[in-house]
Amino acid sequence: MSETDAQADVTVVLPDGSELSVPAGATLEDVAYEIGPGLGRDTVAGKIDGELVSKHAAVHDGAHVEIVTDQSDEYLQVLRHSAAHVFAQALQRLYPEAKLTIGPPTDEGFYYDVANVDLDEEDLAEIESEMESIIEADYDIERVERSREEALSIYEDNEFKRQILDEEADEETVTFYEQDDWQDLCQGPHVASTGEVGAVELLDISAAYWRGEEDNETLTRVSGTAFPSEKDLEEFLELREQAKERDHRKIGQEMDLFSIPTVTGPGLPLYHPNGKTVLRELSEYADRLNREHGYDEVETPHVFRTELWKQSGHYENYKDDMFLLDVNDEEYGLKPMNCPGHATIFDQKTWSYRDLPKRYFENGKVYRKEQRGELSGLSRVWSFTIDDGHLFVRPDQIRREIETVIEMIFEVVETVGLDVEVALATRPEKSVGSDEIWESAEDQLRDVLESGGYDYDVEAGDGAFYGPKIDFSFEDALGRLWDGPTVQLDFNMPERFDLSYTGEDNEEHRPVMIHRALYGSYERFFMVLIEHFNGNFPLWLAPEQVRVLPVSDDTLGYAHRVKNALEDVGLRVEVEDRDWTVGRKIREAHDDRLPYMVVVGGDEEEAGTVSVRDRFENERNDVALEEFVSHLETERDEKRVEPDFIDAE
């Protein structure tokens, strides 16, 4: 190879860390062929520095690249993007006047937002049938480059696509994807043909705002899903039906846990006594963990002068998501995060290197102005509570403190019987701080994960605006992933607040700030637990832990003595004293998702015993009351996931 040729080459980094030299201007597909002709032929798309892109995307020097084939995790995302195009083509065959806007893939499938067409649920079957015809025809999906001028002329009557071209198309050429006689402006990636989509189902219709802004036009959003085979689709639909049964909004109403009435405003949940009981147990557990690990509890107001948010950087980066108030001609904002308040508390004292680490925690209520269309039960709300922790540490303490936080998170996960997936989220496009600071922070988090032997993914660009983070996603009983705990390393906020401590050298030094939450937010964690357990909470969390069922009014007195014995050790107990049959009382307690039911009659009263049933309909008779009370104390205190008294024989 000549010197000129060598200068024209670029080097890319493969997933195993090895490097490969390819000619400048090479695409991901070219890289795949360099690795091997079989991989080249199988290439569907790829990832450059963690971002999913078309196989035609050019690589740059130093790029971290991955090749996506039909065996890759990302393949389903690519296939569903193509399914969105199949939907759009079918829609315009049936409704030529329909205007297309955007149609991305989602975690569960895809959606397409459309204008200038009236659709309802009854129209979905016809559109779905047309989609199946397009899939059966197996049209090639081809990438075509066009000039911006040509693209604008194609969308002369579509103001939405023209806006996309004006705001997002920086290059002189833009990409379209064609199938049969239909085309759509799109960056891709897509599968090779419509036949690869395999199986589709349109799920529902809803309203959406253009660009997610409430002041913009209202569009019709059609959501669907797609899989390579009918078998995969059937499994998904069955899981979706199970998810409907576990929907926390449905169970929340059945168990009287929470409500979000229209009169109080969207995204502002009210917690009923049963729901507050669960939240209190979660709070007391987190508080105990925090205190055991050396955290001091603090409290900050719900509202601050916006000067604080300007100093922290939230005003610049979060202003559109904040609730702002005018108070005596001065601007205030409801807090979207707790960290600036904690940084300000730290700044009120003079600290020595011997004082660090300093750890604060607060169950702090925060407010974020999500778009109304994005609000959903407890999973996305305007007002929520973070089990927040902020640590102010010396640089040499970073590693151990992060390791300890991760240990705390895994203790929480194991206690509630959930699994987690771990990801390193790197610098987003909108961020503060120098390249050097971000590089150092990301390297330290990566080192902790790798030295700890944790399996993790890299989520490029998903970090907080002030620093990278380690994110933990909860996996529930149906295999769904939910955002959960986080650990964030922050070199920027201490700089912005001019925080300092006196080092061993008697010089001023800048502490490092670690942000962390063990649950993420109480609202979302509560939602995950409701759906994961299907409302059948472990004994320690159950709003009502035991219900005493007297056989008749003659044993009501003994039923209350049993209740008193259980309440004496702090258990939550009720007596079912309605004039019902025992069978009906048992059915009602089962439907109310009680961990334990205790049946008492004349025989039990005479012997000082109880008959015990658990939520699995297991029974044990002639149980000494003292034995039952002692076991429940232990089961609660050890936070066991399932009732296990019957198994304890």
Side-chain angles (χ1 to χ4, degrees):
M1 181 184 293
S2 70
E3 185 177 343
T4 303
D5 290 338
Q7 289 174 347
D9 282 357
V10 297
T11 300
V12 297
V13 183
L14 303 179
D16 63 359
S18 61
E19 296 183 346
L20 179 69
S21 290
V22 294
T27 65
L28 275 168
E29 188 174 33
D30 296 332
V31 171
Y33 272 107
E34 283 287 332
I35 296 170
L39 183 62
R41 288 191 297 271
D42 291 342
T43 298
V44 175
K47 295 172 81 172
I48 297 178
D49 297 331
E51 181 183 356
L52 184 64
V53 294
S54 163
K55 65 182 180 181
H56 304 287
V59 299
H60 59 266
D61 193 42
H64 287 74
V65 302
E66 297 177 53
I67 304 302
V68 173
T69 71
D70 62 5
Q71 299 302 304
S72 304
D73 291 340
E74 295 82 3
Y75 176 71
L76 196 54
Q77 184 178 345
V78 178
L79 180 145
R80 287 170 169 170
H81 195 174
S82 301
H85 277 210
V86 170
F87 161 78
Q89 182 182 10
L91 178 74
Q92 291 196 310
R93 279 184 177 181
L94 298 170
Y95 304 90
E97 72 278 11
K99 292 183 180 180
L100 305 176
T101 67
I102 57 169
T106 65
D107 289 341
E108 287 203 335
F110 63 88
Y111 69 80
Y112 217 117
D113 288 348
V114 298
N116 204 42
V117 61
D118 239 349
L119 297 174
D120 57 35
E121 297 283 349
E122 294 177 0
D123 299 316
L124 295 186
E126 185 183 18
I127 300 170
E128 197 175 290
S129 176
E130 192 64 36
M131 291 175 69
E132 289 166 354
S133 298
I134 293 168
I135 291 167
E136 189 176 349
D138 196 20
Y139 299 123
D140 290 338
I141 300 176
E142 298 181 347
R143 179 178 179 272
V144 179
E145 291 190 355
R146 305 193 190 285
S147 68
R148 288 186 79 258
E149 289 72 20
E150 186 180 0
L152 286 167
S153 67
I154 290 170
Y155 291 118
E156 185 176 356
D157 297 324
N158 188 326
E159 64 273 26
F160 305 102
K161 295 290 191 183
R162 291 178 69 87
Q163 186 176 336
I164 292 171
L165 286 165
D166 289 339
E167 295 178 357
E168 299 177 21
D170 298 329
E171 305 296 326
E172 286 305 308
T173 59
V174 294
T175 56
F176 281 71
Y177 279 82
E178 292 183 344
Q179 53 203 46
D180 189 28
D181 59 352
W182 180 88
Q183 63 181 347
D184 197 8
L185 175 71
C186 185
Q187 291 182 323
H190 288 281
V191 295
S193 71
T194 60
E196 286 191 38
V197 173
V200 294
E201 177 122 350
L202 297 180
L203 302 173
D204 54 57
I205 290 181
S206 59
Y209 297 109
W210 170 236
R211 300 295 202 187
E213 297 290 338
E214 292 182 29
D215 295 334
N216 288 344
E217 294 90 340
T218 301
L219 307 173
T220 298
R221 173 169 296 180
V222 180
S223 300
T225 194
F227 288 90
S229 71
E230 287 290 343
K231 179 175 178 292
D232 293 333
L233 175 60
E234 287 170 9
E235 288 175 357
F236 166 82
L237 293 174
E238 183 180 341
L239 195 65
R240 192 166 184 262
E241 284 305 309
Q242 292 181 41
K244 283 183 182 178
E245 285 302 308
R246 290 173 177 258
D247 190 309
H248 71 286
R249 292 163 294 190
K250 170 179 172 287
I251 294 172
Q253 184 175 17
E254 292 170 354
M255 297 183 68
D256 196 23
L257 299 174
F258 71 93
S259 60
I260 308 178
T262 303
V263 69
T264 62
L268 302 169
L270 304 178
Y271 294 104
H272 301 196
N274 284 347
K276 185 58 181 177
T277 297
V278 180
L279 291 173
R280 185 179 64 248
E281 291 289 345
L282 291 173
S283 175
E284 289 176 357
Y285 172 51
D287 291 354
R288 179 181 61 76
L289 270 181
N290 284 321
R291 292 190 178 98
E292 286 176 354
H293 287 84
Y295 287 75
D296 294 319
E297 187 171 11
V298 298
E299 184 175 327
T300 57
H302 292 244
V303 62
F304 288 103
R305 295 172 63 235
T306 51
E307 290 307 309
L308 179 73
W309 307 116
K310 290 173 183 176
Q311 186 174 355
S312 69
H314 287 90
Y315 193 83
E316 176 187 351
N317 291 277
Y318 254 84
K319 181 181 178 183
D320 292 342
D321 298 317
M322 290 179 65
F323 292 94
L324 299 175
L325 314 167
D326 189 316
V327 182
N328 297 328
D329 296 327
E330 190 170 18
E331 191 176 48
Y332 283 73
L334 290 175
K335 62 178 178 179
M337 294 182 180
N338 298 300
C339 32
H342 293 190
T344 305
I345 291 173
F346 182 86
D347 196 34
Q348 302 307 298
K349 283 184 64 177
T350 301
W351 302 95
S352 159
Y353 70 96
R354 295 187 185 90
D355 300 318
L356 304 187
K358 194 64 188 171
R359 310 178 188 95
Y360 297 142
F361 81 94
E362 174 183 11
N363 292 311
K365 186 78 74 177
V366 297
Y367 304 85
R368 297 183 190 171
K369 191 172 60 177
E370 304 277 2
Q371 296 296 327
R372 292 193 184 203
E374 300 296 321
L375 300 175
S376 177
L378 297 180
S379 64
R380 192 174 291 273
V381 290
W382 275 356
S383 168
F384 57 97
T385 306
I386 303 176
D387 66 305
D388 235 340
H390 293 98
L391 300 84
F392 302 87
V393 306
R394 304 190 308 263
D396 62 291
Q397 296 170 323
I398 291 173
R399 183 190 185 92
R400 182 59 198 141
E401 291 301 314
I402 291 177
E403 288 173 342
T404 301
V405 170
I406 293 175
E407 289 167 8
M408 292 171 71
I409 289 170
F410 273 96
E411 181 174 340
V412 169
V413 166
E414 290 164 8
T415 296
V416 295
L418 290 166
D419 293 323
V420 290
E421 291 193 2
V422 185
L424 172 63
T426 60
R427 185 175 191 170
E429 186 176 337
K430 200 173 182 181
S431 60
V432 294
S434 67
D435 292 343
E436 293 77 16
I437 283 176
W438 275 87
E439 248 181 71
S440 171
E442 289 175 7
D443 287 346
Q444 291 188 68
L445 292 183
R446 188 178 286 107
D447 184 51
V448 168
L449 290 172
E450 291 180 355
S451 62
Y454 299 105
D455 290 329
Y456 70 96
D457 294 322
V458 175
E459 294 176 343
D462 277 358
F465 74 87
Y466 48 75
K469 56 181 178 167
I470 300 171
D471 285 333
F472 298 80
S473 298
F474 293 119
E475 183 177 347
D476 69 11
L478 298 182
R480 300 169 300 177
L481 292 175
W482 304 98
D483 292 342
T486 185
V487 189
Q488 304 171 359
L489 195 54
D490 184 357
F491 292 88
N492 289 299
M493 200 166 297
E495 188 76 29
R496 298 178 78 96
F497 280 86
D498 195 25
L499 304 182
S500 66
Y501 65 92
T502 303
E504 199 169 1
D505 57 2
N506 286 323
E507 297 292 328
E508 293 294 299
H509 295 269
R510 188 79 70 205
V512 178
M513 194 170 175
I514 298 173
H515 308 243
R516 52 105 279 202
L518 305 179
Y519 297 146
S521 79
Y522 280 91
E523 280 70 15
R524 181 164 292 179
F525 191 59
F526 191 16
M527 179 272 293
V528 171
L529 293 182
I530 292 170
E531 299 198 0
H532 176 67
F533 291 116
N534 197 19
N536 294 305
F537 293 110
L539 181 72
W540 70 282
L541 285 176
E544 183 183 347
Q545 296 166 317
V546 184
R547 187 174 297 173
V548 185
L549 315 177
V551 171
S552 69
D553 289 349
D554 294 339
T555 50
L556 264 176
Y558 182 59
H560 281 281
R561 291 198 295 277
V562 170
K563 176 187 177 186
N564 292 340
L566 292 162
E567 287 184 333
D568 284 345
V569 296
L571 290 161
R572 296 183 286 275
V573 191
E574 296 294 336
V575 173
E576 178 55 87
D577 57 6
R578 284 176 284 192
D579 187 21
W580 289 349
T581 65
V582 173
R584 183 176 179 185
K585 290 178 179 181
I586 289 171
R587 287 194 301 275
E588 185 78 9
H590 185 271
D591 291 346
D592 288 345
R593 298 173 168 88
L594 268 294
Y596 289 105
M597 295 151 264
V598 172
V599 179
V600 294
D603 292 342
E604 285 82 10
E605 181 174 9
E606 185 176 342
T609 61
V610 292
S611 294
V612 181
R613 295 175 64 96
D614 65 21
R615 63 165 54 115
F616 306 114
E617 301 183 7
N618 298 312
E619 297 181 59
R620 184 175 165 194
N621 300 319
D622 303 320
V623 177
L625 179 57
E626 295 79 4
E627 178 191 353
F628 183 56
V629 172
S630 175
H631 178 87
L632 261 58
E633 256 194 301
T634 303
E635 183 179 322
R636 176 199 62 196
D637 294 346
E638 292 183 357
K639 295 181 170 51
R640 298 175 190 172
V641 172
E642 293 288 2
D644 62 358
F645 177 72
I646 310 299
D647 298 333
E649 289 186 85

